[in-house]
Amino acid sequence: MTKKDILNVILLLTITFTLTAQKANMDTLYFKFNKKYIKRGEVNKNQYYLKDKSNEGDLFFIKRSILDNLKPKEVLCFKKFIRSSKYYNFSKKKNQRLDGYRLWEYLDKYIIFFILNIDGRHVYEEVKINYVIE
């Protein structure tokens, strides 16, 4: 192995460890799943959509994994979280109140779990927020 190869391996390992450390340090948000506010996709059952619509694009969540036995410190109401934030505007037209892009920018920095109650037990679905411009 040449010195150049060794330096490339060291650089690759450094980048890998840095990216892993950044992901490990992400904060986690837990939201109680509200069937009236969050709807499962009709075509793709691994997608969730909000009752509130975004103004210029489509905001949705994709299920990534299912976990059990998590111990969240705080569980938030997703609808209250959205409607009390700067990403929701009560003065706009009824169908264009949510600033989906800015909400996506904010929540994309977090690990997000929806907490569902299935057969009397809590199920934690890790989801990833997505935004598509129409």
Side-chain angles (χ1 to χ4, degrees):
M1 248 176 144
T2 66
K3 285 184 180 182
K4 186 178 179 181
D5 291 337
I6 293 171
L7 287 175
N8 283 336
V9 169
I10 291 172
L11 179 63
L12 181 63
L13 290 173
T14 304
I15 291 171
T16 303
F17 288 129
T18 302
L19 292 175
T20 304
Q22 287 177 351
K23 182 168 176 121
N25 290 332
M26 290 177 72
D27 287 332
T28 304
L29 295 173
Y30 297 90
F31 294 107
K32 182 179 178 188
F33 189 82
N34 179 341
K35 292 190 283 191
K36 293 179 183 175
Y37 186 68
I38 305 168
K39 301 290 183 191
R40 190 177 298 268
E42 292 179 15
V43 176
N44 186 343
K45 301 295 183 187
N46 289 326
Q47 292 182 350
Y48 298 103
Y49 296 88
L50 302 180
K51 181 178 177 184
D52 290 319
K53 298 296 179 198
S54 182
N55 47 355
E56 295 177 355
D58 200 11
L59 183 75
F60 62 98
F61 297 85
I62 296 178
K63 179 170 52 171
R64 298 177 83 184
S65 64
I66 298 174
L67 301 172
D68 289 328
N69 301 323
L70 296 179
K71 304 279 189 236
K73 292 180 183 177
E74 183 178 11
V75 177
L76 303 170
C77 172
F78 196 69
K79 184 176 181 178
K80 286 180 184 176
F81 176 83
I82 298 296
R83 292 197 175 174
S84 65
S85 72
K86 61 185 173 185
Y87 311 111
Y88 194 82
N89 187 348
F90 285 99
S91 64
K92 287 191 175 184
K93 295 177 184 176
K94 188 173 184 175
N95 62 346
Q96 295 184 349
R97 293 183 173 177
L98 183 63
D99 188 343
Y101 180 76
R102 288 182 61 214
L103 178 63
W104 168 79
E105 278 187 316
Y106 176 75
L107 288 178
D108 192 47
K109 298 174 182 130
Y110 292 91
I111 297 170
I112 301 170
F113 283 95
F114 288 151
I115 303 173
L116 292 85
N117 189 351
I118 299 175
D119 297 329
R121 66 180 182 92
H122 288 122
V123 174
Y124 301 86
E125 286 191 359
E126 181 183 356
V127 294
K128 178 74 176 156
I129 190 165
N130 290 277
Y131 185 78
V132 178
I133 297 173
E134 295 175 345

